[in-house]
Amino acid sequence: MKAMILAAGLGNRMRPLTLYKPKPLLEVGGKPLIVWHIEKLKNIGVTEIVINSAWLADVLIGALGDGSQFGVNIRWTREVEGLETAGGIINALPLLGTEPFILVNGDVWTTFDFSSLLNVELNADLAHLVYVTNPPQHPKGDFVLDQGRSYTFEQEHAGEALTYSGVAVIHPKMFDGLDAGKRPLAPLLKAAMLDGKISAQKMQAAWVDVGTPERLSDLDLQIRQGMYA
């Protein structure tokens, strides 16, 4: 199984920290955010990793290289301008192949055990999403989880409103027939939910959307204090 880490964002909310360093290289607990993901993937035997890049791409690629320092094989895609999530994935499909892959947002941090993703069987589904309890900055959530299936709010389905964690298993078929270019992922997920083709689970682990300098420093302090040991 392969994995893709999304790392092409501008990191505007993290400025001035991201003026000279791409957001995935910002450190918590003495380690870049993206390296936490790489090591977690390596630990479950996922060593073929695709990473997209745009903002300060040369800095990011220069730091991580081909992945050999982590015991993995990293292959890179470059985006002249950020293509958003779905656009970045479509651009990387030639490297990802035709089988389901793990997708991870480069700007989140979690203690979630990725090994459960290896057991996900999509069958006719197009994706399996991992959700978290709604954080303070996103109280209404993104989607609804009910008995292992995911629904949009428009479907008015009973269940718990939760936030997408940025961790998923995606089938390349999700992008069949779509042209390259800037394209967000959320509309594709919603369309697939309306077709009943998205499964999901709620994460039982620590998770932080490292979206502001304050959250970055808070997480760094918590890790160093052993809160997540």
Side-chain angles (χ1 to χ4, degrees), residues 9-85:
L10 291 173
N12 286 332
R13 292 180 300 162
M14 297 296 288
R15 294 194 173 193
L17 300 179
T18 51
L19 287 175
Y20 306 103
K21 178 181 284 190
K23 187 175 179 180
L25 289 183
L26 296 178
E27 294 190 2
V28 291
K31 192 183 303 181
L33 288 168
I34 197 168
V35 172
W36 288 91
H37 291 328
I38 292 170
E39 291 180 349
K40 287 168 71 68
L41 290 166
K42 167 67 164 52
N43 288 341
I44 65 167
V46 174
T47 57
E48 296 295 320
I49 302 173
V50 177
I51 304 176
N52 66 337
S53 62
W55 175 247
L56 298 175
D58 289 341
V59 177
L60 183 61
I61 295 170
L64 303 180
D66 64 2
S68 56
Q69 60 183 307
F70 309 107
V72 301
N73 178 37
I74 296 176
R75 301 183 72 182
W76 294 92
T77 62
R78 286 179 178 259
E79 302 169 14
V80 177
E81 62 172 343
L83 296 174
E84 299 195 47
T85 303

Side-chain angles (χ1 to χ4, degrees), residues 128-192:
H128 177 83
L129 308 181
V130 181
Y131 292 150
V132 294
T133 300
N134 299 328
Q137 70 272 15
H138 192 59
K140 294 183 179 180
D142 296 312
F143 305 111
V144 174
L145 174 64
D146 186 24
Q147 298 183 23
R149 308 299 300 174
S150 186
Y151 304 91
T152 69
F153 292 125
E154 290 76 15
Q155 289 173 286
E156 297 182 351
H157 207 282
E160 185 178 8
L162 297 169
T163 294
Y164 172 49
S165 70
V167 179
V169 175
I170 306 282
H171 200 295
K173 289 180 180 178
M174 169 84 73
F175 312 98
D176 280 357
L178 299 180
D179 295 330
K182 183 176 285 190
R183 187 188 297 270
L185 182 60
L188 302 182
L189 294 176
K190 289 179 180 178

Side-chain angles (χ1 to χ4, degrees), residues 185-209:
L185 182 60
L188 302 182
L189 294 176
K190 289 179 180 178
M193 288 176 198
L194 293 173
D195 286 340
K197 292 190 174 182
I198 302 287
S199 62
Q201 69 184 84
K202 183 178 180 181
M203 180 189 297
Q204 304 298 327
W207 175 89
V208 178
D209 170 14

Side-chain angles (χ1 to χ4, degrees), residues 209-227:
D209 170 14
V210 192
T212 66
E214 291 75 22
R215 279 183 237 151
L216 181 79
S217 65
D218 287 348
L219 175 60
D220 179 56
L221 181 62
Q222 291 164 358
I223 293 173
R224 292 179 183 278
Q225 290 179 337
M227 184 174 295

Side-chain angles (χ1 to χ4, degrees), residues 86-161:
I89 296 170
I90 292 170
N91 189 48
L93 284 178
L95 301 179
L96 290 167
T98 59
E99 297 298 317
F101 59 90
I102 295 171
L103 181 70
V104 184
N105 284 4
D107 57 359
V108 300
W109 184 91
T110 180
T111 59
F112 177 64
D113 184 356
F114 287 176
S115 63
S116 65
L117 302 177
L118 298 174
N119 301 319
V120 171
E121 295 186 9
L122 291 180
N123 298 315
D125 289 338
L126 293 176
H128 177 83
L129 308 181
V130 181
Y131 292 150
V132 294
T133 300
N134 299 328
Q137 70 272 15
H138 192 59
K140 294 183 179 180
D142 296 312
F143 305 111
V144 174
L145 174 64
D146 186 24
Q147 298 183 23
R149 308 299 300 174
S150 186
Y151 304 91
T152 69
F153 292 125
E154 290 76 15
Q155 289 173 286
E156 297 182 351
H157 207 282
E160 185 178 8

